[in-house]
């Protein structure tokens, strides 16, 4: 008998994992009662240990699904929280502490939660039982309790007291049964009293006659009857010393001594049930009977469920197997594949292009600072007679002025920290490419894995940044003193810088267009520009310019006008310089002082070439070798301790796939267990209604 209940409880617990469907489940015993009715005391007496959270402010906020396992081999009693991975807790005060904490994890604003705590207790002295402890009904919400607490508790209990569960309705003898919230609730869902067991606690607090009358079951008849108990642990003095281990012995001794005083009322002839021990027996019988009677229906329901699941598996996934490990391995393969493809497209030429582009900007900066800005160095409105190119020394290759200008510009380029610039430019390009790869890969749907991979890239790149940058600087050292340009390099520089200037010109023009849009059209912009020009030449006085503007233009408009004038002048100069670069003068290296654009471009190319050689060996190749290993190692760390499962389930598609397979496996397992249960009992015991 015992063994059968144990197996059915096991089946029930497995079914809990399948899902919430009410048809595909076996019954459990649900314990309800108002606060202070003695509910906890009864449960603890059944278990034989004090383990439930107590105290005036302690409201149970989550159901506790308690599985009692009769384990003849257990040398000591112990509890387990399977969901938390906590096993073999032999100290019941620790179990109590855990329950308090799990209870407190429900935020007060939520009042109660229907997410159950699973607790399994093993002992040679407990019967196999499946009990669910629910929050006690409250009559009036306390001062600090939210108003809806009462309603929420009641709703939560309603969910659990539905059939086929057995209701253990706890009421105290010293409270009129008509007012018992537990019995009222049970009558609502079980009006004929077919699956409710009444427990009357605190029998010691009423007259023995009155107590016996309650148990006689006349007023509110229940088919499974009432049991009267004194579940309170007697005070530690005198006759009833607490046993250090099991409290049931003490409680039961106390009950026997109390009820024994009234043999006429509570003796065997009275046909009244009293005592926790009797209650336990009753619970075992009723549970076994109720479970057995539902076994066939449950089996049928599971079979249907399994058929449906198998069908889904075929239709949706073509019976393709799936595990979290396989998913991770496939995701990694996919990512590595993308990475290798990327690695084959990003090498020296690409680094060269990136770095050269960055240096082109620096060349333009030098040109602007040392050559182009000269005539329009200031945009203050009342500029005296504007400088113009004619004021500068003649473009004489022998003029020390132009020598100095070009030498300073060239040396500024070589000393601007190309090492750092190069490593930064390349590292950030690689990093952003990796981030794009992640977004294209299966990891895109996994925020934490994304971060891990991205950080792995950053770590490997950062590892080499310093030495690479240093190495580049070292190898560029000679250029800091002299740069020797070959005719071929000059030619290349000339071609290249023409393109750079063209792009820069286009930028100026685009910026101009944008300004037109901002101020409200080309005409308007022209008007402001004319005013700014005149102001610069001193033809109009703008001394009175305040924050409100001048000449009928607002300050903001004037600022835009100055910007436009700057852009126009810049465009003019670039146009002029483009012609110069293309002219015969700039054809040959000898004329380098005429053509600083070409010379500086050639210098920048030299710097780029040297830097790229270093970058390739020191940084990129190292990255390509180490990054995949780093990703694997770092991802591996996050997959420990349930991380793998969490990872796979982040992808909704995989989660559904895994869930379906798990469901199918669980249903198959349950069916096989029911089968062996049926085989054990060749007569089909338990399935018949008349057990
Ligand atoms: P719960 O709030 O329903 O869980 O009730 P408890 O089990 O915490 O009991 C409430 C109070 O009633 C506690 O002080 C218990 O000691 C006391 N109590 C419980 N059962 C009995 C009993 O059978 N007799 C007496 N006299 N007191 C009891």
């Amino acid at each position: 008998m015992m063994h059968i209940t144990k197996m059915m409880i096991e089946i029930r617990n497995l079914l809990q994992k399948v899902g919430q469907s009410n048809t595909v489940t076996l019954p459990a015993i649900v314990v309800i009662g108002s606060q202070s009715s003695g509910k906890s005391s009864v449960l603890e007496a059944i278990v034989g240990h004090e383990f439930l959270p107590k105290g005036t402010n302690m409201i149970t906020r989550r159901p506790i699904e308690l599985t009692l396992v009769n384990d003849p081999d257990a040398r000591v009693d112990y509890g387990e929280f399977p969901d938390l991975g906590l096993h073999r807790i032999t100290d019941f005060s620790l179990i109590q502490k855990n329950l308090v904490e799990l209870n407190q994890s429900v935020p007060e604003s939520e009042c109660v939660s229907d997410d159950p705590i699973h607790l399994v207790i093993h002992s040679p002295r407990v019967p196999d039982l499946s009990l669910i402890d629910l929050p006690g009904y409250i009559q009036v919400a306390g001062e600090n309790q939210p108003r809806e607490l009462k309603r929420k508790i009641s709703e939560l209990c309603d969910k659990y007291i539905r059939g086929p569960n057995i209701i253990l309705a706890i009421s105290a003898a010293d409270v009129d049964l008509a007012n018992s919230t537990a019995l009222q609730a049970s009558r609502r869902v079980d009006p004929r009293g077919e699956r409710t067991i009444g427990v009357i606690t605190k029998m010691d607090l009423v007259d023995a006659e009155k107590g016996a009358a309650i148990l006689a079951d006349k007023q509110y008849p229940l088919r499974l009857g009432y049991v009267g108990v004194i579940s309170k642990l007697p005070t530690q003095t005198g006759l009833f010393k607490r046993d250090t281990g099991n409290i049931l012995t003490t409680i039961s001794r106390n009950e026997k001594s109390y009820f024994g005083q009234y043999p006429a009322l509570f003796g065997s002839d009275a046909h009244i049930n009293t005592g926790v021990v009797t209650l336990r027996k009753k619970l075992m019988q009723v549970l076994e009977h109720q479970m057995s009677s539902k076994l066939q229906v449950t089996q049928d329901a599971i079979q249907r469920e399994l058929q449906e699941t198998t069908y889904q598996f075929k239709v949706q996934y073509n019976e393709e197997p799936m595990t979290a490990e396989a998913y991770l391995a496939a995701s990694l393969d996919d990512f590595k594949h993308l990475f290798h493809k990327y690695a084959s497209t990003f090498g020296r030429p690409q680094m060269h292009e990136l770095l050269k582009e960055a240096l082109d900007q620096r060349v333009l900066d030098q040109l602007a600072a040392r050559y182009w800005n000269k005539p329009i160095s200031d945009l203050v409105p009342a500029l005296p007679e504007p400088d113009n190119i004619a004021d500068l020394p003649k473009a004489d290759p022998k003029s020390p002025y132009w020598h100095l200008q070009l030498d300073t510009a060239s040396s500024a380029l070589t000393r601007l920290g190309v090492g750092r610039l190069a490593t930064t430019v390349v590292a950030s390009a690689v990093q952003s490419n990796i981030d794009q790869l992640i977004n294209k890969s299966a990891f895109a749907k996994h925020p934490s894995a994304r971060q891990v991979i991205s950080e792995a890239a950053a770590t490997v790149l950062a590892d080499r940044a310093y030495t690479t940058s240093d190495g580049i600087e070292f190898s560029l050292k000679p250029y800091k003193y002299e740069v020797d340009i070959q005719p071929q390099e000059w030619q290349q520089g000339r071609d290249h810088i023409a393109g750079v200037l063209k792009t820069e010109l286009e930028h100026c023009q685009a910026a101009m267009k944008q300004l037109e849009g901002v101020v409200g059209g080309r005409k308007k912009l022209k008007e402001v520009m004319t005013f700014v020009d005149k102001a610069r030449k001193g033809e109009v006085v703008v001394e009175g310019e305040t924050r409100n503007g001048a000449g009928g233009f607002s300050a903001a408009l004037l600022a835009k006008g100055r910007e436009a004038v700057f852009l126009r002048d810049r465009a003019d100069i670039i146009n002029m310089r483009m012609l110069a670069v293309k002219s015969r003068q700039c054809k040959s290296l000898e004329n380098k002082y005429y053509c600083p654009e070409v010379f500086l471009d050639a210098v920048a190319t030299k710097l780029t070439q040297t830097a790229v050689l270093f970058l390739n060996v020191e940084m990129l190749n190292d990255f390509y070798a180490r990054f995949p290993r780093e990703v694997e190692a770092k991802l591996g760390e996050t997959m420990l301790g349930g991380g793998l499962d969490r990872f796979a389930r982040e992808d909704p598609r995989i989660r559904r796939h895994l869930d379906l397979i798990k469901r199918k496996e669980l249903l198959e397992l349950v069916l096989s267990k029911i089968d062996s249960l049926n085989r054990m009992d060749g007569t089909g015991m338990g399935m018949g209604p008349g057990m």
Side-chain angles (χ1 to χ4, degrees), residues 444-511:
K445 297 191 192 79
H446 304 276
S448 52
R450 269 164 63 160
Q451 197 181 338
V452 167
I453 301 174
S454 182
E455 280 171 8
T459 313
V460 178
L461 288 169
D463 260 8
R464 282 309 179 100
Y466 188 74
T467 44
T468 310
S469 156
D470 241 24
I472 293 174
E473 284 300 332
F474 187 76
S475 62
L476 292 181
K477 225 172 186 171
Y479 295 140
K480 292 178 186 169
Y481 303 99
E482 195 183 359
V483 189
D484 189 19
I485 302 288
Q486 300 303 311
Q488 160 100 11
E489 292 166 338
W490 180 267
Q491 188 47 49
Q492 277 172 3
R494 190 170 169 231
D495 292 344
H496 182 80
I497 198 70
V500 174
L501 290 174
K502 190 162 167 270
T503 312
E504 185 66 8
L505 181 63
E506 283 161 7
H507 285 163
C508 283
Q509 286 160 346

Side-chain angles (χ1 to χ4, degrees), residues 86-97:
L86 294 175
H87 301 292
R88 281 199 82 92
I89 311 175
T90 49
D91 179 355
F92 278 74
S93 68
L94 212 61
I95 296 182
Q96 193 171 40
K97 233 176 100 192

Side-chain angles (χ1 to χ4, degrees), residues 34-41 54 201-205 229-232:
S34 10
Q35 265 186 326
S36 299
S37 58
K39 193 161 64 73
S40 310
S41 308
K54 286 198 205 100
T201 58
K202 311 192 186 180
M203 289 293 288
D204 54 325
L205 294 186
V229 297
I230 306 171
S231 48
K232 181 185 167 139

Side-chain angles (χ1 to χ4, degrees), residues 359-509:
L359 284 177
D360 285 346
Q361 272 317 308
R362 305 303 170 108
V363 168
L364 289 178
D365 291 348
Q366 289 299 322
L367 289 168
R370 293 180 201 286
Y371 296 90
W372 304 344
N373 278 355
K374 189 69 185 155
I376 43 167
S377 61
D378 205 342
L379 291 174
V380 196
L383 199 76
E385 195 58 22
D387 293 336
N388 67 46
I389 302 167
D391 292 342
L392 293 170
K394 268 251 154 299
D396 173 4
K398 294 202 181 73
S399 154
Y401 178 83
W402 293 116
H403 282 220
L404 187 66
Q405 284 293 76
L406 192 61
D407 290 348
T408 330
S410 161
S411 135
L413 264 191
T414 53
R415 286 163 204 261
L416 63 76
V418 176
R420 258 196 68 176
L421 179 73
T423 38
T424 314
V425 163
V426 169
S428 66
V430 171
Q431 181 76 51
S432 95
N433 288 335
I434 293 295
D435 289 343
Q436 281 167 23
L437 283 192
I438 301 172
N439 283 339
K440 269 194 264 169
S441 76
F443 291 115
K445 297 191 192 79
H446 304 276
S448 52
R450 269 164 63 160
Q451 197 181 338
V452 167
I453 301 174
S454 182
E455 280 171 8
T459 313
V460 178
L461 288 169
D463 260 8
R464 282 309 179 100
Y466 188 74
T467 44
T468 310
S469 156
D470 241 24
I472 293 174
E473 284 300 332
F474 187 76
S475 62
L476 292 181
K477 225 172 186 171
Y479 295 140
K480 292 178 186 169
Y481 303 99
E482 195 183 359
V483 189
D484 189 19
I485 302 288
Q486 300 303 311
Q488 160 100 11
E489 292 166 338
W490 180 267
Q491 188 47 49
Q492 277 172 3
R494 190 170 169 231
D495 292 344
H496 182 80
I497 198 70
V500 174
L501 290 174
K502 190 162 167 270
T503 312
E504 185 66 8
L505 181 63
E506 283 161 7
H507 285 163
C508 283
Q509 286 160 346

